[in-house]
Amino acid sequence: MKLKWAVAILGLSLIASMAGAQVSGPTQAELNNSAMARDSWLMYNKSYTGTRYATLTQINTTNVGQLQRVCTFATNDLGAFQDTPIVYKGVAYITQEDKTYAIDATNCNKLWEYDYQPSGPEVLSTNRDVAIYNGMLFRGTGDAHLLALDAATGKLLWNVQVQDSSNGYFTSSAPIVWNNMIFMGDAGADWGIKGQMHAFNVSDGSKVWDFNVIPTGSEAGADTWGSADSTATGGGSMWTSYTLNVATGKLYISIGNPAPDFASAYRPGANLYTDSVIVLDAKTGKLDHYYQQISGDNKDFDTSAAPIIYTLNGNLMMSVATKQGYLFTYDDSTKQQLYKVETTSHLNMDKPPTTEGTRICPNYTGGSQWSGPAYSPTTQMLYVNSIDYCGVVKLGEVRLVKGQLFFGGSMELDDVSKAKGYTTAYDAATGKQIWRFEPGARSPGGVTVTAGGLVLTSDTAGNMYALNAKTGAVLFKTNIDNAPSGGGISTYEVNGKQYMAIAVGNSSKGATGVGAVAARLAIFALP
Amino acid sequence: MIKRTSKWTWRSIAIGTLFLGITALGVGVLAQTQLSYTQAQVDLGKTTYSAQCVMCHGAQLQGVSGPALAGDKFLKKWGRNTLDDFYYIMSTSMPQTNPGSLSKDQYLAIEAYVLDTNGFKAVGDKSLAQEDLKSFKFTK
């Protein structure tokens, strides 16, 4: 009895000490080492390169079948949950619309919770997690603010307005931090915003620079907008996360669709820099170069998931997966496109929407939404989650109701039972498909690949899978409370033990038709 | 000073009279289009909502993967818009899987249900009609 009390008191003391402990890192040096770090998952896509590759090997192809759920933390919030848990010094940080949580990453004990009180209308509930640096967390909001929280306590440190959310702006990306700057872009193209990318000072949220994603006047690219008036609502969202080349200081950013989404006659031209990856000088915000995936899009086919960068055969490569259902790879040294391969089936991609309706595959909830490729230097393969799902796009009235959806038409989706999810492995050098796994439900969540030879993925039926990275064979499968997964899996070591943490729950409008199950963080480990 | 005061007094009377006239005209217009929807519309709206909208917007209209359609968050977002704006957005973008697939009566009924759930208390003999929607906003 005495022993039980002692253990209980010790446990409570540990929780109390963790909640109150000062968090001084991660330092810039730790962030620079994020790709190799074993004890943390420091960014939405693991590291600045975005490749979601973990060097951990304790859980591997020989023992992953023994994986067990250690614990679950349910937020009891039915809102969208598309995080990949950020983990630092044994603490996992997750976010939803207004809430930010710090959770013990070994036993799911809640350390603190912060509940944001918005001052403006919230456009969309989705938030994809925090950036962490020097004892601070940074996150966006549904009313287009940027917040800094104390990582040890959840106390609000500062709050700045990025844009006016009554005009459709919000900030849902997981930001990244580099050299005392926070990088965060505007979201809201479907609501008729005019997107900008921003850099903010970590100390007080003051602005460092802006970049106009929709160029006007004398700015380069303005001539790709045949109607200057249409640029005021031209779109160009940034709504997932960002990638950075630490060696060159170049920032890689996926830019979403032009608006109105379907009525391209309203905005004739190529509509730069929508549906593109732009590369900026991170210190100044000046454009270095760009790659456009779709010119004058009329089907809401964002380039949205963050691009990834990696070295292959001595060359700097950049790969990005799009909502249109393609994987693009470029040699970023020569700025040449190496290949464009299908991640879904395709129908009528070149046919414009009509008032009667044009049948298309994929529809705007298909392809790769907020989760980009993972890359393993061990297998030299790219791993892509995609959704094969068709529909009918219709042209409609172009009417702007400020702060509300600005589609200029509509998209009718097939019955959800016809939708398929894929996890596909491609040879990174050639784009040749190596294997494909079909989980039986859609797979909008992130893919993680490990040095232990595992590809970790999930689906909207609540299943989590560990696949053999070389063959795609299923080595482990479990269902997490039938909670549709739209988040990703982070993996990390605490006190020498490897864990896997997955964000599951209602996965958002990108996975329409699934049952609502409250968001939860589930943590797995070997027995 | 006295003359000037008199001058401004007369101007004030004239402006005040004009204002009263405009105000009276406004009241008259509003009187002709008092917000009203029927209980039958609310009931149809609830039934249709339960079949088509509840999965994303929640049983209490509190918002799930889709935004809230009731409460402070909803009213903050829609307060400056007319009921016609809401009808346009709803009827062209919802249900998400098949936008525009409901009948005009169903969309109007859902709008009546949303109004009623938000406490507008305008159940009456006159149905909510599409031609009335531009006259009202989501403000109490």
Side-chain angles (χ1 to χ4, degrees):
Chain A
M1 196 66 183
K2 281 182 180 175
L3 181 63
K4 281 184 181 176
W5 276 108
V7 170
I9 290 167
L10 180 64
L12 288 170
S13 303
L14 281 172
I15 292 170
S17 64
M18 285 183 82
Q22 189 177 1
V23 180
S24 57
T27 63
Q28 184 59 55
E30 287 178 285
L31 293 179
N32 289 347
N33 189 48
S34 53
M36 299 303 293
R38 301 168 65 85
D39 62 351
S40 59
W41 186 282
L42 293 178
M43 301 176 203
Y44 185 71
N45 289 318
K46 174 79 164 82
S47 67
Y48 285 123
T49 64
T51 53
R52 300 179 70 91
Y53 175 77
T55 56
L56 298 171
T57 56
Q58 191 178 95
I59 303 173
N60 55 52
T61 55
T62 67
N63 59 16
V64 70
Q66 303 166 38
L67 213 55
Q68 292 183 349
R69 198 192 311 193
V70 174
C71 59
T72 306
F73 172 76
T75 68
N76 298 317
D77 185 337
L78 286 165
F81 194 35
Q82 298 173 10
D83 296 22
T84 293
I86 304 296
V87 180
Y88 181 63
K89 291 190 174 173
V91 179
Y93 301 95
I94 55 173
T95 61
Q96 284 191 278
E97 181 176 24
D98 296 327
K99 298 278 186 70
T100 306
Y101 301 92
I103 311 294
D104 185 314
T106 65
N107 60 22
C108 298
N109 285 336
K110 185 174 78 175
L111 304 177
W112 56 255
E113 169 184 335
Y114 168 74
D115 190 7
Y116 173 62
Q117 301 301 314
S119 56
E122 291 183 291
V123 180
L124 195 68
S125 66
T126 312
N127 186 279
R128 294 185 177 77
D129 220 326
V130 300
I132 182 168
Y133 169 67
N134 197 25
M136 294 178 282
L137 307 176
F138 307 97
R139 61 160 289 176
T141 69
D143 66 343
H145 284 229
L146 181 64
L147 313 179
L149 306 179
D150 185 322
T153 64
K155 181 186 172 191
L156 180 69
L157 300 175
W158 51 255
N159 169 3
V160 296
Q161 183 180 22
V162 177
Q163 297 281 11
D164 181 356
S165 67
S166 64
N167 290 328
Y169 290 86
F170 55 103
T171 44
S172 60
S173 302
I176 63 170
V177 172
W178 178 72
N179 274 7
N180 293 310
M181 288 180 285
I182 308 153
F183 301 105
M184 172 65 95
D186 303 333
D190 296 350
W191 289 258
I193 67 160
K194 182 174 183 285
Q196 285 186 311
M197 183 66 199
H198 316 278
F200 300 90
N201 194 311
V202 294
S203 61
D204 58 5
S206 57
K207 187 74 70 62
V208 180
W209 54 254
D210 293 321
F211 175 79
N212 293 325
V213 166
I214 307 298
T216 57
S218 60
E219 293 173 323
D223 58 351
T224 66
W225 291 83
S227 164
D229 289 346
S230 69
T231 59
T233 53
S237 284
M238 290 138 280
W239 53 277
T240 60
S241 195
Y242 310 97
T243 301
L244 190 125
N245 185 333
V246 175
T248 63
K250 297 291 190 293
L251 183 62
Y252 295 71
I253 307 161
S254 285
I255 308 296
N257 60 283
D261 298 36
F262 309 123
S264 56
Y266 182 80
R267 43 173 175 77
N271 301 152
L272 287 174
Y273 296 96
T274 63
D275 292 353
S276 301
V277 174
I278 62 171
V279 185
L280 307 182
D281 182 324
K283 288 181 180 169
T284 64
K286 302 297 182 194
L287 181 71
D288 192 83
H289 59 283
Y290 71 93
Y291 307 95
Q292 188 174 43
Q293 284 72 53
I294 303 175
S295 172
D297 178 18
N298 51 26
K299 299 180 183 69
D300 187 10
F301 280 147
D302 305 58
T303 299
S304 44
I308 69 169
I309 54 174
Y310 53 99
T311 303
L312 184 63
N313 301 325
N315 297 318
L316 179 63
M317 314 286 272
M318 188 276 281
S319 295
V320 65
T322 68
K323 277 173 60 174
Q324 197 184 19
Y326 288 106
L327 167 65
F328 293 81
T329 292
Y330 304 86
D331 183 332
D332 201 43
S333 309
T334 62
K335 315 287 189 293
Q336 297 298 307
Q337 179 179 310
L338 296 183
Y339 54 82
K340 170 187 176 183
V341 294
E342 291 185 308
T343 61
T344 66
S345 60
H346 289 93
L347 177 67
N348 292 332
M349 289 294 92
D350 294 330
K351 289 190 177 175
T354 63
T355 52
E356 295 76 25
T358 303
R359 181 162 179 76
I360 59 168
C361 302
N363 66 45
Y364 67 175
T365 71
S368 297
Q369 295 275 318
W370 53 89
S371 304
Y375 171 73
S376 166
T378 310
T379 62
Q380 298 191 339
M381 291 184 205
L382 294 162
Y383 303 94
V384 180
N385 271 358
S386 60
I387 297 170
D388 210 345
Y389 188 18
C390 304
V392 174
V393 59
K394 292 180 180 176
L395 203 56
E397 178 187 0
V398 176
R399 171 176 163 184
L400 180 67
V401 179
K402 273 285 185 186
Q404 308 299 340
L405 291 170
F406 185 52
F407 280 156
S410 62
M411 185 86 76
E412 178 186 327
L413 312 183
D414 283 3
D415 188 277
V416 71
S417 63
K418 296 179 180 175
K420 295 178 181 176
Y422 305 135
T423 301
T424 312
Y426 300 90
D427 181 331
T430 64
K432 181 186 173 190
Q433 182 177 317
I434 306 296
W435 54 258
R436 169 165 283 181
F437 168 67
E438 293 190 31
R442 287 165 291 166
S443 47
V447 186
T448 295
V449 61
T450 76
L454 302 174
V455 166
L456 308 172
T457 185
S458 57
D459 67 27
T460 53
N463 297 309
M464 171 184 162
Y465 303 89
L467 311 176
N468 184 312
K470 289 183 181 172
T471 66
V474 178
L475 302 176
F476 173 77
K477 176 185 176 182
T478 189
N479 188 280
I480 306 169
D481 313 330
N482 295 315
S485 175
I489 300 163
S490 54
T491 184
Y492 49 89
E493 280 182 353
V494 179
N495 297 326
K497 187 178 179 70
Q498 184 181 355
Y499 295 86
M500 293 177 178
I502 181 170
V504 294
N506 198 39
S507 55
S508 103
K509 69 171 188 174
T512 298
V514 299
V517 182
R520 62 205 58 210
L521 175 75
I523 294 177
F524 290 81
L526 294 174
Chain B
M1 281 296 285
I2 294 172
K3 281 184 180 177
R4 184 179 289 178
T5 304
S6 301
K7 187 177 176 183
W8 278 100
T9 301
W10 280 110
R11 276 187 185 175
S12 300
I13 291 169
I15 291 168
T17 306
L18 184 63
F19 175 76
L20 283 172
I22 291 169
T23 305
L25 184 63
V27 168
V29 170
L30 284 174
Q32 289 170 18
T33 56
Q34 193 73 39
L35 176 63
S36 175
Y37 46 80
T38 64
Q39 188 59 49
Q41 283 186 306
V42 174
D43 293 343
L44 174 63
K46 185 175 183 179
T47 304
T48 310
Y49 178 90
S50 298
Q52 301 287 341
C53 320
V54 71
M55 185 172 281
C56 295
H57 295 282
Q60 309 303 319
L61 287 72
Q62 79 278 17
V64 183
S65 59
L69 298 176
D72 292 343
K73 284 187 177 182
F74 172 74
L75 294 173
K76 186 184 275 187
K77 189 172 177 180
W78 280 93
R80 68 178 179 175
N81 296 117
T82 66
L83 302 193
D84 187 64
D85 290 336
F86 184 82
Y87 182 92
Y88 164 72
I89 295 296
M90 173 175 56
S91 63
T92 58
S93 62
M94 294 292 134
Q96 195 191 3
T97 52
N98 197 0
S101 59
L102 305 183
S103 69
K104 186 177 83 173
D105 286 347
Q106 285 177 308
Y107 283 121
L108 283 168
I110 291 171
E111 186 144 10
Y113 176 55
V114 169
L115 285 163
D116 204 58
T117 305
N118 279 283
F120 279 80
K121 296 179 180 174
V123 172
D125 296 332
K126 186 181 180 306
S127 298
L128 185 66
Q130 198 169 357
E131 54 268 28
D132 297 337
L133 298 178
K134 286 183 179 172
S135 303
F136 303 103
K137 292 186 174 182
F138 282 98
T139 47
K140 296 179 189 174

